[in-house]
Every structure is written in structure tokens, then in C-alpha cells.
Amino acid sequence: MMGTDRMLKILQRQNRNTLTAFFLFGIVLGMAGLAFSSAPLYKLFCQVTGFGGTPKTNVVRKAISKSAGVINVRFDANTNSDLPWVFKPEKQKVLVSLGEPKLAFYFAKNVGAKPVTGTASYNITPFKVAKYFSKIDCFCFVRQTLEPGKRIPMPVEFIVDPEILEDPDTAEVKTITVSYTFFPVVQNDRKKS
Amino acid sequence: MRVGQGVAMGNNHEVHPSGWRRWLYSTNHKDIGTMYIVLSLIAAILGGSMSGIIRLELMFPELQFIQDLQFYNVMVTGHAFLMVFFVVMPAMFGGFGNWFVPLMIGAPDMAFPRMNNISFWLLAAALILLLLSAFVQGGAGTGWTVYPPLSNADYHPGPAVDFGILSLHVAGASSILGAINFIVTILNMRAPGMTIHRMPLFVWSILVTAFLLLLAIPVLAGGLTMLLTDRNFGTTFFEVAGGGDPILWQHLFWFFGHPEVYIIIIPGFGIISQVISTFSKKPVFGYLGMAYAMVFIGVVGFVVWAHHMYTVGLDADSRAYFVGATLIIAVPTGVKIFSWLATMWGGSIEFPAPMMFACGFIFLFVVGGVTGVALANSGMDLAWHDTYFVVAHFHYVMAIAAVLAIFSGYYYWIGKMSGRQYPEKLAKIHFWLFFAGVNILFFPQHFLGMAGMPRRIPDYPDSYAGWNLVSSVGAFVAGIATLLFFFIIWKTFSSGGKVQSNQWGPGATTLEWTVDSPAPFHTHEELPVTNSHMPAE
């Protein structure tokens, strides 16, 4: 038979091992949790820093002061091949006063036979100026449904922060390109052919 | 319950399960280590054959053997997955780790023997899932990086990629359980006097690797789960149409993928340190520097992942950071290289097969390290990204270097594991044949890459002919060397002479050389007491 002391020792070691194992398993769960929260965190990170050309969308209008400077804004439009739409900007390019809200229009027409819902992804190039480009309101914030043959204007209201001239990284930028790509809204029960 | 186990541990020493029960139900670290090594040998035959098929097709321009190009993609993918998850990791971490970590720290077994069993059998199940994926609807031709959109339901509509994802999930679970087991064993079950700073460097390497697995695998699991739901349940984590971003996958994958390459090579560092110290008959030079260099490589390995994605449109500041962080890793790896050389310096050096493989490892690792420093610069990488230069780089630094470390460890420890002497002359021929083969195989790929030959293509313009032929010839030389290795295994077990408990003499100072050869079923039942770095002296 084993002495009580030795049994106690084995018991203590087993407990210590189990405790360490649970601690390590906690690390695993923590990392898995971080991995799953990466999608919202990545989105948040892009919105806060303008990373990858993500423009600001939650602006406080008053916070942006006016300035004498101007900047060119170009409009780019793309359509996913699965979406039977013709999607174009009203003007290729506008001159915008810094710090002043500006309204611009795109037009989209459904050339397909069925009503389709689309949604647009968007970004700003050069990426580094995205943090100074704010969208006050945009057709890209909501889904758009078009009946067959119907053509509608799609407005976007934006403002360029005069801070862009103060930042040594972005002062040299003369032209900002705003780009949209329209996609068909992905159905949850989609069946790919 | 636990008390009962304790009593059983104390009283049933002579019970030896036999037949299939000994293996299927095994809770013995040596038997489980052996099973890991056998599994890695089986996977090596499969993964090696796939690389043979790749090199056969690439020998000449135009398509000769493969008409179905998806099949080529499946070969590339299968080769990578098998070699990473089912050859190198099981051989070094699961195989040598299980065999020698308890022996080296003076523990009777691993902390959780039953969990050890499930770790192994999960890996076996994962291997079957991976093989299944190659046989259903064209197979998974995604590359080991599984980037969407190629891996999404548009381009891989069948269940092959789903099988691959499940395989990685199961293999990941196996690795996590194994890692927890190693960490608990190393932290809690060292023999009296075996302080953290007296542990052999191989044990340090397994400890660092286990922590890397613990932190990296869950991130892969998270990403894979998102990909699985994107493919099957209509989520859009990586699909722009639904507001997702395929670049997020690349961030998640490489947050796992970069530590993964250190998971592959760090146990190799440990093996090489033991071997060089043994055959130089000197303690390893700069022990603490060697140990903490591995820790440092592990830590920094988690903050350099975007150097795999310089071309995705990262801004200049981010790239500058990732260039700098990546270059810093050259410092601790340099510490290791020079400490190995300093260990040999002035030593009474012998060159049996394990030492030859260790020296070969240093050469390959330095070549791959130098091209790595070049590739770390984002300006250079923009030109080299996805060319054969990258293929040559990572095969040198982590693939064949890791395989040389495995061979080195195998010849070093096979006497302890089997009790038999390997045929020395054949092993030396094996070394020269394999070393020459892999260099002929991979060195010309630097030239091809610098000339712009892209990775993952089954055909190429005529201007890349020539070096591709040389490379393929090297592959077949390395293949013959590998066949010779299997012959050596057979020869060792069929006619190898018996070896002493310490076959390597005064240089072998770690605790595994104090037990009989072959190591008995149960070892260190009386905990050995350690007073120095060289407990077996």
C-alpha cells in the first residue's frame, strides 16, 4: 500500500496539472474569441483609421471648419457582372471647396428583366486621404431595389476636411477618387449554378 | 477517481497491454511518440510522391503528364498540407517531443496520458479527412493558404474544400491538446533540480513551440469556421458583395501561418542543439542566449504576419513596420547560428550521420535565412511575390532544413528508441545523396524566381526550361535518397546490432542517455536528481 503522504503528493500534482491545463485552455478560448471578433474589429479599425481607403461616415458637420482650399474629386463606378445594371456617375469630376458639404449624383438603371436589389461597396484612393473624406449621406448606406427598366439618381453628400492640407502626408494630394462597386445582395439561401 | 489513478500508477507497473490494444489504447509517451513517427513516415510517402508528380510535370515546358489542371492544383495543395501538418509537425513535435521531453526532464510520462492518446488519434482522423478531400469532386486546389475567393463556393463548389477545412479543424484540435499536454508536463513535472534554466534546449524548443500552437491554432480555427459558414451558410465574412473583405482572411491566415512556420522549425533548432553539443563534446555555447533566442523568435513571430501580403495594397507606413519587424528576427536566428558554430569551435568533433545532418541543417538554414532577409524588404518582395524565389526561400529555410533536422534526430535517437544501431555507412551515403539532391532541387529555383517564373503553375514559357530540368533531376536524387532512408530503417530493425544505454559517449549529457536502450516501457519511476546542465554526466 502507498503511504498517505505519497498519495497526497500525487493528488496535489494532479490538481496543479489540471489547474495549469484549464489556464492554458482559457488562453485557447481567448484567442478563438479574438479570431471571431476580428471581423467586427477589422471593420471598426478601418472606420476609425481610414485604413484601406475607408471613408468616415459618422461625421459631426460642425466639427469641420471651412477653408479657402479646393480639391478635385473624381467619381468611379463599377458593376459586378452578376448585376444587370448600368451604373454611372453624373459627372466624372468636380471641384470641391474644402470644408463645404457637396452633393453629387450617380445614376443606375436596371437593364435586366427582373427587379433586383443591389448594394454598393466603396472606398477612397489614395488610401491615406480616406480619414479626411467624410460621407454625410450616401446611397451606399442602404440597399437599392430597381424595377426592370427603371433609372434612378443616387445621391452622395460628402465633405473633405481642410485638415488634409495640414497633414504633411496628404498635403500633396490634388485629386481624390471615390469608387463604388455595385453587387447583387447576397441571399442567405443562395444556390450557385 | 484521481486517487484511484494514483494507486493504479503505483501498482501496475508490470502490466503491458499487448497487440492492437497496446497502440489503440496507448497512454505511454514512448508508444504514442512511435505512432506519431510512423504516421509522419506514411504521410511523407504521400506528400513526397505528390512533390514528385509536380516536379515530373515541371521537368519540361508544356503539359506532358497532367491534363486536368485542377489535379495539379490538388497536388500542390496536398503536398503542402501533408508536409506541414502530417509530416514535420508529427515527426518533431508529436514524435520526438513525446519520446524525449519526459525522458529529458526526468518525468515518468506526460501530464495527461489519455489526452495524449486522443491527440494522436485525432491527427490520424484528420489525415483521413484530408485524403478524402482529394478524392471528392476534383479535390481542393486552393493552395495551403486557402485564399478566398478561390476557396469559396463559386470556385470550389464541391465538398472537397469542406473536407479540407474539417481536416484542419481536427488536426488543430489535436495540436492544441498536444500543446497543453507538453506545457503542463514541462512546467509541472520536471525532476528535482531540473530547473527551467537547466532544461535541455530540445525541451525549451518544444515549450516555445507549444505556446506558439496554443496562440496561433485558435486563430486559424476561427478563420476556417468563417470560411466554412461563408461556403455553406450564406455568411459573407470574406465576400465583398455582402460587406466582407477577402483580405481579412489573409490577415487571419497569416496571423496563424507565420507562427506556424516557426512551429515547424523551432523543434529542429532544439534537435540540432542537442546533436551539435553531443558530437562536439562540449556544452552548448551560450545556453541562455539559445533558449531566449527561441522565445524571442516566437514572440516576434506573431507581429510580422503582413510580410506575406505586401502586395495587397498596404500603405507605406504599415509596410515599413512589417519590414522592420521582420528584419529584427534575423538577430535571434543569427545568435543561434553563431552559437552552434561556437559550440563546435575548439570541440573534439566527430561526424557520425546525425552530426552531418546537423551541419547540413545549418548550411540550408543560412541560405534560406539570407534569401529571407532579402524577401523581407517590401520593395524587393513586390517583384518576387509569388515567384519561385519564394518557393526556393521557404523550402530552404523551413522545409528541407526541417527534414534534415528530423533525419538528424532520427539517427541520433534511433538507438535509444529501438535499441539498435543504424548502419553508419549507409546513413552517411543517405546524407550526401539527400543533401546534394535537395540543393540541386531548390537552388536553381532562385534563378527561376528572379527571372520571374510564377509559383503554382503546371506549364511555363520555354525561357524557363533548363533550370527546371536541373531542379527535377535534383528532386529524383532526393527521392532516391529517401528510398535509401526507408531501406536503412528496415536494415536497422532487421540486422542492427545492440547499442549501449549511452551510445554517444561523454558528449551525450542529457537524461535520456541514463536509461537503457531501448528505453524500457516505464522510465524515471524514481525521479532522477539533477545538479547541473549535464545531468547524465
Side-chain angles (χ1 to χ4, degrees), chain B residues 254-290:
Chain B
W254 286 114
F255 187 85
F256 148 80
H258 196 75
E260 174 67 25
V261 302
Y262 294 136
I263 288 164
I264 288 169
I265 201 66
I266 285 180
F269 291 167
I271 294 171
I272 298 305
S273 296
Q274 304 302 140
V275 168
I276 288 185
S277 158
T278 297
F279 297 109
S280 305
K281 301 193 187 65
K282 279 172 67 189
V284 79
F285 179 89
Y287 168 85
L288 280 180
M290 288 293 251

Side-chain angles (χ1 to χ4, degrees), chain A residues 1-2 6-7 10-11 13-25 27-40 42-43 46 51-52 80 82 119 121 127-128 169 181 183-190 192-193, chain B residues 2-3 5-7 9-11 108 111-112 153-154 176 179-180 183-184 187-189 211 214-216 218-219 221-223 225-226 230-231 233-237 239-243 245 247-248 251-252 255 313-315 317-318 525:
Chain A
M1 275 303 287
M2 219 184 274
R6 179 135 185 243
M7 259 162 68
I10 288 172
L11 195 64
R13 199 179 70 192
Q14 290 277 340
N15 279 338
R16 201 166 58 142
N17 286 356
T18 313
L19 200 69
T20 315
F22 270 109
F23 174 73
L24 295 171
F25 196 67
I27 295 180
V28 171
L29 287 184
M31 288 307 290
L34 280 178
F36 282 111
S37 47
S38 66
Y42 185 65
K43 200 163 268 177
C46 291
F51 191 80
N80 182 274
D82 290 342
T119 177
S121 70
F127 291 168
K128 60 185 178 182
D169 281 345
T181 307
F183 291 91
V185 168
V186 177
Q187 299 298 326
N188 261 13
D189 57 351
R190 79 201 151 117
K192 300 273 163 152
S193 51
Chain B
R2 290 217 177 81
V3 179
Q5 277 174 8
V7 171
M9 261 169 22
N11 289 345
F112 304 105
D154 289 337
I176 287 172
I180 291 177
I183 296 173
V184 174
L187 292 185
N188 290 352
M189 293 178 62
F211 270 107
L214 209 62
L215 295 168
V219 178
T225 307
M226 289 182 223
D230 268 18
R231 289 175 52 79
F233 307 114
T235 58
T236 55
F237 289 105
E239 213 157 316
V240 184
D245 189 347
I247 303 297
L248 173 62
H251 283 293
L252 288 173
F255 187 85
L314 295 175
D315 63 288
D317 288 348
S318 312
E525 288 166 293

Side-chain angles (χ1 to χ4, degrees), chain B residues 449-530:
Chain B
M450 284 206 256
M453 179 170 162
R455 304 167 67 172
R456 295 176 169 147
I457 53 163
D459 186 12
Y460 49 82
D462 288 352
S463 54
Y464 299 126
W467 284 125
N468 267 305
L469 176 62
V470 174
S471 181
S472 291
V473 169
F476 302 134
V477 174
I480 291 166
T482 310
L483 292 180
L484 176 62
F485 175 63
F486 281 97
F487 176 73
I488 290 171
I489 295 177
W490 175 76
K491 194 96 176 128
T492 308
F493 281 87
S494 63
S495 59
K498 299 263 180 247
V499 293
Q500 309 267 303
S501 66
N502 181 357
Q503 67 184 115
W504 302 121
T509 55
T510 41
L511 280 175
E512 79 267 33
W513 305 109
T514 60
V515 303
D516 289 343
S517 294
F521 202 66
H522 293 292
T523 41
H524 297 321
E525 288 166 293
E526 290 294 321
L527 296 185
V529 178
T530 307

Side-chain angles (χ1 to χ4, degrees), chain A residues 9-177:
Chain A
K9 258 188 189 156
I10 288 172
L11 195 64
Q12 276 171 349
R13 199 179 70 192
Q14 290 277 340
N15 279 338
R16 201 166 58 142
N17 286 356
T18 313
L19 200 69
T20 315
F22 270 109
F23 174 73
L24 295 171
F25 196 67
I27 295 180
V28 171
L29 287 184
M31 288 307 290
L34 280 178
F36 282 111
S37 47
S38 66
L41 285 177
Y42 185 65
K43 200 163 268 177
L44 188 71
F45 173 76
C46 291
Q47 276 163 2
V48 170
T49 62
F51 191 80
T54 313
K56 300 242 154 144
T57 52
N58 49 350
V59 276
V60 185
R61 225 186 271 216
K62 281 181 291 191
I64 294 177
S65 58
K66 287 194 182 178
S67 138
V70 287
I71 199 158
N72 282 308
V73 175
R74 287 177 65 245
F75 297 101
D76 174 46
N78 307 281
T79 319
N80 182 274
S81 54
D82 290 342
L83 188 69
W85 287 12
V86 175
F87 172 57
K88 284 202 170 106
E90 183 191 33
K91 290 179 190 159
Q92 292 292 336
K93 195 161 142 181
V94 292
L95 199 62
V96 178
S97 304
L98 296 181
E100 225 166 78
K102 178 83 184 173
L103 190 65
F105 286 93
Y106 278 76
F107 284 93
K109 184 180 182 188
N110 184 351
V111 293
K114 279 186 281 186
V116 189
T117 304
T119 177
S121 70
Y122 49 92
N123 86 328
I124 304 295
T125 25
F127 291 168
K128 60 185 178 182
V129 302
K131 58 184 164 185
Y132 302 116
F133 190 97
S134 306
K135 289 187 175 172
I136 297 160
D137 207 351
C138 178
F139 63 89
C140 54
F141 294 168
V142 290
R143 294 172 172 189
Q144 308 281 342
T145 306
L146 279 183
E147 297 298 323
K150 195 166 178 211
R151 179 171 184 269
I152 59 161
M154 295 195 166
V156 49
E157 191 183 18
F158 60 91
I159 186 165
V160 183
D161 193 331
E163 286 277 311
I164 194 169
L165 297 176
E166 312 296 321
D167 186 336
D169 281 345
T170 55
E172 44 100 11
V173 175
K174 301 278 178 283
T175 305
I176 298 175
T177 304

